[in-house]
Structures are given as C-alpha cells and as structure tokens.
Amino acid sequence: MNKRKKTVIALIIAASIAVCAFLAGTAFADTLRRGSTGQLVRELQTRLKRWGYYTGAVDGVFGAGTEKAVRLFQKKNGLTVDGIVGAKTAAALGMSIGSSPAGSSGAGASSGSLSLLARLVHGEARGEPYKGKVAVAAVVLNRVKSASFPNTVAGVIYQSGAFDAVSDGQINLSPDQESINAARDAMNGWDPTYGCLYYYNPRTATSRWMLSRPVILTIGNHAFC
Amino acid sequence: MEDENNNKKTKRNSHFPGMFRGFAAPVTLALFAVPMVLLAGLIAMGFWAADRHREAEELRAVNENVCREAYTELAGSVRELNAELSKLVLSEAPSTLALSLDGVWRESGAITALLGRIPSAHAENAALNRLIVQTGDYCRSLSSSVLGGKPLTENDRKQILSLVDASEKICTELENRLAGGNIPLTALDAERFYAEPAGENAEYPKLDYNGPYSDSAENRQALGVSGDELSEDEVKTKAKELVALALGDEGAAEQITAQSLARVEAGYPRYDLALVLPDGRTADIALAAQGGQLVYFRLYGARETAPAEQDLGTLKTKGLEFLRALGYEHAEPTYHSTYDGSVVVSCCCTQGLGHALADGEEEPSVIMMNDAVRLRFDTATGDIIGADASKCLMNHTERSFADVTAAEQAQANLSPYLSVSSSRLALIPMDDFSEKLCWEFRGSFMENEYLVYMDATTGEEVRIVRIISDENGTSEA
C-alpha cells in the first residue's frame, strides 16, 4: 500500500471516528451516566450531597461514587435503578438536563411565556449573577405592565431592536436551569430592579438616548434605569 | 540523437497553443489549467451570488409585504378607533355606550399589536403606544362604570373629545403616508417608518383615570413603609438579623458579614445588601430605608445536611411564625408552587372585620389579597431561603370595613352550577387600585375548582377565578 493510500484511509478512519463521537454525544446528550463530566454533573453531585446520598467530592466527574449515589436516590424514590440520570430521575432531582430544541418545553418550563423569557435571560444575561438574571426577566415583565410597551411577553421581547439576544439569534439557544429559575422567580413577582424598564452594559452601550437615562441601580455588568 | 530529442519536444509542445510553446510540459499544463479553474470558479461564484441575491430579494419582498400589511391595518384600526370614540361623544344610552367603549378597547388592543409589528424603534412610538393603551384601558374602566349604572361625567366627555382629536390627527398622518406611498420599503430600515415628530416627548392628551396602565398606577405610594430613617450600620445589623431569623438561628447574626451595601432611590428608598454566611453561602437582601422593613431576601447555596421529610403544613406554620417576627401578626397561606428543590408559598395578611355578623358570634377575619408575602423554602432542609414582601409593602395598612351582608344572602346570588364547599371574607384588588370586600365562595364545577367573589355589601358577583392544581402546586387563572 503506497503512502497516499495510507493517508486517505487514515483520513477516512479519523472522519468516521469524529462522526461516531458526534452521534454518540448527541444520543447521550439527554442523560448523565458514568463517564459524563461538566457543570451538570457538578450540579447533580451538589444535589445528591445536599440530600445525603453522595459523600464524595463535587468535581464534575460522574464516577463510581456518583453512580452509587444515583442508584441509591433512584431506589429511595421508586425510580428504575440503573445509575443513569434520565428525564425521570432528573425531574425527581429538580434538574433539567435535556438538550431539547429552543421553544419546546423543558423540565419545569411549562408555559410558552416562561420558556421564551428563560431563553431571553439565557441570551442576554449569561454570565451575570443570579440576581442580574432575575433583573433582566423583571425588566421584560415591567415593560409588559407599562403602557409604553407591547402588553405581552412575546410582544416586548420581539419588539424591534429591543434586545441584542433577539437581533443576534442568541435567544434561540436552549436556556440552562439557572435561566429558567430566574425567569420563574421574576414571574413569581421578584423584581430586583424595582420597576426599571431599561438596562444596558455601560462598557458596550453606544445609544445616546439610553445613556442619557438616569441609572437606578447596577447589578453585575448591567445598569438598570 | 539530438534531432530525435528535438522532435519529441516538438511533438509534446504541439498539443498546446502557441503562447505556451517553449515551456516544459508540466509548467505549460499549469499555465493553462489554473486560469481555467479560476474562471470556472468565478462563473460558479457568479451563479451562487445571483442565487443568494434572488433569495435576499424574495426575503426582502416578504418583509416589505408584512410591514405594508401591518402599516395599512394600523391606519385602518386607528380610523376605527377614531370612529368609535366619536360615537361615544354622541351616545347617551348605556347599551350603545357600552358597545362603543368595548369597541375602543378592542381596537386599542389591535393597534398595540400592529405597532409591535412595524420595525420602528421604541423611542419613536413609545408615546403613541402609551396613548393607545391608556385609551383602551380608560374606556374599559368607563365600561365597568356604565354597566354599573353610572353615566359618563362631563370630564369623561371632555377627555373623549381630546382623544377624538388626537386620533384624527394620527390617522390623517398615517393615511397621507399610505396615499403618497411614503411607507416603508424595507423592514431593515427603521428610519423610513412612521416616526413621531417629537419621539417619546410627543404631545398627546393626558388621561385622568385609575386603571392598570394609568399614570396614577406608576406613581403609587407604598402604604406599608413607615418608621424612622435607618443609618447604614443599622441597616446592616437588621439585614443580618433577618437572615439569621429566617434560618432559625438568631445567634448566627453576628457571624454574618455584609459584603456590599447600596442605597437605591426607586419609589421608596431601599438598601440592597449582599451578605456572606459563616458557611460560605451568600444572600441578597433589600430593606426599606425608612423603618427597615424587609423588601426581599434570597439565600443561595444549600446547607449540607441529611435530607428530612418536609411536610407542606409544617413549612407553612414555620412561614407564618417568620411573618409574625417580621411584624405581620396575622396571615394565612394561599397558593404554593414547587420547583427546583424549593416550594414557594404565598401568604396574605388577615384582619378582623371590626364587628361580629350576628349577636353572640365571633368577629370574622378578612383575608387581604393585596397584602401578600411570598416565602421560599428549601424542600430538603425546610430552611426559609427567600421572601418577597414588596407587594405587601405597597398595600399593607389598617383597613376599616363597612357592614356586610350575611354569607347566605350573597350565596343566594351564586350560579346553581357551583357546588360550594367553603366561604370566607376577602378584600380583593380592583383594576382601579381600589379594594372590594367580598364573600369568597370556593366551589367546584365539572371537576374544576373555582373561587367566586360576591360583593359583601350588595351581594353582586364581582369576579370568578379558576384554581389550577397539579403536582407542582396551586395557582389561579
């Protein structure tokens, strides 16, 4: 076999491995199991530890200890004992692990408005403190209650030029659990902005109209007015 | 031999045009092939670009048509609004008044939706949006009055006349633009859409009324905020004490540290604080600057402890104790919802009616729906990890109640389809920010639960609420 043929075969094998890995990742995206890693595993371990099922380190690695704790949790809660965190176990844990496409209802996001609000929060305030996420959701709801804005959540969010996350498409990303919780807290009445209708990032904002408004308070990177 | 080689070269070069003669064969091939490939690529790119351009044009046409339609419908709806408003000026009969008021409210909703569909910036149409929403809101409140037997006042007629005038000017402007073709050509160019001459400072009539979208709604005073102005040190101490109280460990207050403190001037002045607990958990808390009442607090992170069964009833009892410590002596839990490892319970303050309904009976209690505090519990530990008293602070005050009819009298006016299970007195919020004392009847109809509120003075039906119950809790619709 000449060198060129070997190179071609190696490339085909590498591409096949990459495709298989991608497909495997897609197939298991909705479950947490032994070998899984990351923030969701960390959240899982935190919850299991807090309820006394897990005694190991919260390191974001789904190892034997985590699997044992999941099995114990499943047994105690009448779930199928397989050591895998699927939709039912996640729901019992109060977690959302689904990679459902934006717009479909995930765990805990039952209404359309909540889902849309959570996606806006995720797109606009990812990386902000929790209070800052609730504040962004509260601004949307304050606008709904204001005569100067559309009177629906969708109307406010999709108002022309109102939010960068809508303009650049980040609103279509699936929200994480924290964004869903923040949207729900705001819908439950928590308004850390005390009625503010606008916010902007002072480091990036260029609108003279926006910058001219008096700032009421600052949370994280956002000035609220 | 040399001749033989020359012949071979000549034969090889003879396959290429004359301009390539003299080059070696591979070089000649490259000089011929590269421009050909580039040319083919260029042609392919041209086709691709033409295809993209066609797609962009189609998309642009779709956008333009959507905007033209919205703009045309906007002009039509403003004309309809204007017509309904002018009928109101002439109408005297309650039935026609109610129909026209309903028509204005309906057109107001349609115009607001259409304004959201034209891509003008918020600053350009905020004042117009405000006028339209308040017009609908105002007419809805008038509709309630008219149906309640109250005629329009002279001030109402004057306000409606000013709305007729304003709406006439707006629709004339819109129609002129439509007639002149001066309407948007692209959805991407906001400048070409209808823009108010003075932007958000446009001069429109100011409506004097009470409703959810009225100016008075935005300038309400907090009735529950009272007391002396606190110093920053007093605020810090109070905040720590409140968090320690919520956790049921009042001795822990001294170990809590304040990470930040900021005074916020919004409505009534408040202090926002960030606290750090001895175990590293953090909390956000806000207190009224005057009196130091709790506005909200939220504790983050979980206490590491063995899980324990947390009965909802136990949590509610714990919550009511916490409310008593906050100064809300009498309260009752209403709705609750469970999510993300926590349960949120809404509690409303109660107050005695001030007199018994009959001789020898106890003074009944009134639940005040506006004086609501939401408490959040960690379902694993039972700790109070959040509270929101902002709504209660806006409304909480001592009320005095007039005489009320007996529950049986009000119940006689209920629909026979409602199967009543319980009743109590409730003070419910109205759209104009007033409150109405009602008999609240809980009952069922076709496997659903309802709350029907009947005016406790007149016995008339005021509101019907459907209770939504599922495994996550209860709420109303």
Side-chain angles (χ1 to χ4, degrees):
Chain A
M1 199 182 289
N2 63 30
K3 195 176 174 184
R4 188 184 297 171
K5 278 185 181 172
K6 282 180 184 170
T7 309
V8 170
I9 288 169
L11 282 172
I12 290 170
I13 291 170
S16 303
I17 290 169
V19 169
C20 289
F22 173 75
L23 291 176
T26 306
F28 294 131
D30 287 353
T31 62
L32 293 177
R33 57 179 66 211
R34 200 160 177 175
S36 299
T37 55
Q39 184 56 37
L40 276 173
V41 177
R42 196 168 283 117
E43 189 183 333
L44 168 70
Q45 289 170 327
T46 305
R47 284 168 192 260
L48 290 169
K49 189 165 192 171
R50 154 187 178 190
W51 293 332
Y53 294 100
Y54 178 65
T55 51
V58 178
D59 54 7
V61 179
F62 197 127
T66 310
E67 186 181 279
K68 191 178 166 187
V70 170
R71 284 178 183 278
L72 186 60
F73 176 82
Q74 288 171 327
K75 193 177 172 185
K76 290 261 184 188
N77 288 277
L79 299 160
T80 305
V81 182
D82 57 5
I84 297 168
V85 181
K88 284 184 180 171
T89 306
L93 283 159
M95 288 177 65
S96 173
I97 60 167
S99 59
S100 55
S104 67
S105 60
S110 55
S111 76
S113 292
L114 174 66
S115 172
L116 181 59
L117 192 56
R119 284 194 277 131
L120 181 85
V121 169
H122 189 68
E124 285 277 311
R126 216 163 46 250
E128 292 295 311
Y130 185 74
K131 187 177 158 189
K133 288 184 167 77
V134 179
V136 165
V139 164
V140 172
L141 299 177
N142 289 339
R143 289 187 182 187
V144 173
K145 287 182 265 182
S146 165
S148 302
F149 290 86
N151 48 16
T152 62
V153 170
V156 164
I157 287 177
Y158 287 110
Q159 194 179 20
S160 181
F163 296 101
D164 288 343
V166 176
S167 306
D168 62 20
Q170 291 202 49
I171 192 169
N172 298 318
L173 298 172
S174 285
D176 55 18
Q177 188 62 42
E178 195 167 274
S179 298
I180 294 171
N181 290 346
R184 207 189 295 259
D185 272 344
M187 289 185 104
N188 266 337
W190 184 14
D191 177 11
T193 74
Y194 309 122
C196 286
L197 293 171
Y198 308 93
Y199 65 85
Y200 61 87
N201 185 335
R203 284 183 299 178
T204 56
T206 53
S207 164
R208 275 189 298 166
W209 179 82
M210 186 65 88
L211 291 167
S212 68
R213 306 192 78 85
V215 173
I216 303 295
L217 76 166
T218 301
I219 304 173
N221 291 312
H222 287 145
F224 291 82
C225 43
Chain B
M1 190 65 176
E2 199 176 314
D3 288 344
E4 200 177 316
N5 287 340
N6 286 340
N7 286 340
K8 280 181 186 171
K9 279 180 189 172
T10 308
K11 275 181 188 173
R12 237 182 268 149
N13 289 342
S14 66
H15 293 297
F16 300 102
M19 60 184 290
F20 296 117
R21 277 187 193 133
F23 289 104
V27 176
T28 309
L29 182 66
L31 286 172
F32 177 74
V34 169
M36 289 299 112
V37 170
L38 285 175
L39 185 64
L42 205 62
I43 291 168
M45 274 182 68
F47 277 112
W48 180 82
D51 195 45
R52 295 283 79 77
H53 180 69
R54 183 184 52 76
E55 272 187 25
E57 283 301 310
E58 283 176 3
L59 194 62
R60 177 192 287 265
V62 169
N63 270 331
E64 283 178 12
N65 291 336
V66 167
C67 295
R68 278 199 182 98
E69 184 201 7
Y71 203 82
T72 309
E73 284 186 14
L74 178 67
S77 286
V78 176
R79 178 55 71 194
E80 285 294 319
L81 182 91
N82 174 259
E84 293 291 350
L85 284 166
S86 56
K87 284 183 212 169
L88 280 177
V89 181
L90 302 174
S91 182
E92 291 292 342
S95 57
T96 50
L97 265 176
L99 278 175
S100 290
L101 287 165
D102 187 56
V104 173
W105 182 65
R106 201 176 52 248
E107 289 302 337
S108 156
I111 294 168
T112 312
L114 289 165
L115 279 171
R117 278 167 55 191
I118 60 169
S120 56
H122 162 70
E124 289 170 356
N125 68 16
L128 177 61
N129 198 92
R130 188 175 189 83
L131 173 77
I132 298 296
V133 168
Q134 288 190 337
T135 299
D137 194 32
Y138 172 52
C139 287
R140 196 174 181 216
S141 72
L142 287 181
S143 183
S144 300
S145 300
V146 167
L147 288 171
K150 291 181 191 166
L152 295 187
T153 64
E154 195 51 41
N155 186 48
D156 289 331
R157 303 258 181 209
K158 275 185 189 168
Q159 294 204 107
I160 292 167
L161 265 173
S162 71
L163 290 173
V164 172
D165 186 46
S167 59
E168 176 64 40
K169 283 178 185 160
I170 295 164
C171 63
T172 301
E173 165 77 9
L174 289 169
E175 285 166 353
N176 286 344
R177 285 180 177 233
L178 273 173
N182 185 19
I183 56 172
L185 293 174
T186 170
L188 302 175
D189 185 358
E191 296 301 318
R192 298 163 93 163
F193 281 79
Y194 175 75
E196 291 171 308
E200 64 174 336
N201 300 316
E203 284 295 323
Y204 288 126
K206 298 278 180 211
L207 295 176
D208 178 21
Y209 76 106
N210 286 325
Y213 294 104
S214 62
D215 291 343
S216 56
E218 294 169 5
N219 302 314
R220 293 178 64 225
Q221 299 297 309
L223 301 175
V225 175
S226 61
D228 296 331
E229 180 84 14
L230 268 61
S231 70
E232 291 192 354
D233 283 342
E234 286 172 328
V235 168
K236 283 179 188 172
T237 304
K238 180 126 192 173
K240 292 173 192 176
E241 286 172 355
L242 282 172
V243 172
L245 181 70
L247 297 175
D249 182 9
E250 292 176 51
E254 288 179 7
Q255 296 168 287
I256 298 173
T257 52
Q259 206 170 37
S260 68
L261 178 145
R263 187 182 169 95
V264 182
E265 301 289 342
Y268 54 93
R270 313 151 215 232
Y271 282 102
D272 280 4
L273 297 97
L275 304 179
V276 181
L277 276 63
D279 60 6
R281 285 185 290 167
T282 57
D284 283 316
I285 183 166
L287 304 180
Q290 188 190 344
Q293 288 98 335
L294 176 71
V295 181
Y296 71 76
F297 105 86
R298 182 68 195 270
L299 179 67
Y300 307 107
R303 182 159 61 94
E304 290 188 10
T305 181
E309 279 294 316
Q310 297 298 329
D311 170 58
L312 185 60
T314 310
L315 296 181
K316 285 178 178 176
T317 306
K318 190 174 187 176
L320 294 179
E321 279 173 26
F322 177 63
L323 290 181
R324 272 193 287 279
L326 291 183
Y328 303 112
E329 277 298 320
H330 305 287
E332 280 184 25
T334 54
Y335 301 106
H336 75 274
S337 61
T338 307
Y339 60 92
D340 195 39
S342 62
V343 57
V344 176
V345 178
S346 186
C347 299
C348 292
C349 295
T350 59
Q351 184 189 316
L353 181 64
H355 55 271
L357 290 174
D359 288 344
E361 283 188 9
E362 278 186 23
E363 175 194 13
S365 176
V366 179
I367 185 161
M368 297 177 291
M369 298 304 191
N370 257 337
D371 299 16
V373 181
R374 283 197 174 91
L375 299 173
R376 176 188 288 265
F377 301 87
D378 185 323
T379 49
T381 62
D383 288 346
I384 298 173
I385 55 168
D388 181 358
S390 52
K391 187 179 177 188
C392 191
L393 281 180
M394 288 302 293
N395 301 293
H396 189 58
T397 186
E398 185 78 16
R399 274 86 159 184
S400 57
F401 302 108
D403 287 342
V404 300
T405 59
E408 292 74 21
Q409 275 181 270
Q411 191 169 348
N413 294 338
L414 284 174
S415 163
Y417 289 100
L418 186 76
S419 178
V420 178
S421 57
S422 65
S423 65
R424 64 176 173 183
L425 282 168
L427 189 68
I428 64 169
M430 305 302 288
D431 280 348
D432 61 358
F433 301 109
S434 64
E435 294 174 318
K436 197 176 278 288
L437 183 61
C438 294
W439 279 107
E440 178 194 89
F441 293 98
R442 180 181 281 261
S444 58
F445 165 62
M446 289 182 75
E447 298 179 1
N448 286 307
E449 270 206 296
Y450 292 83
L451 296 174
V452 180
Y453 293 93
M454 310 293 282
D455 190 315
T457 310
T458 64
E460 288 173 359
E461 190 176 284
V462 177
R463 187 173 298 160
I464 301 175
V465 171
R466 183 165 152 176
I467 305 291
I468 299 172
S469 298
D470 58 25
E471 68 273 18
N472 294 320
T474 54
S475 58
E476 63 179 47

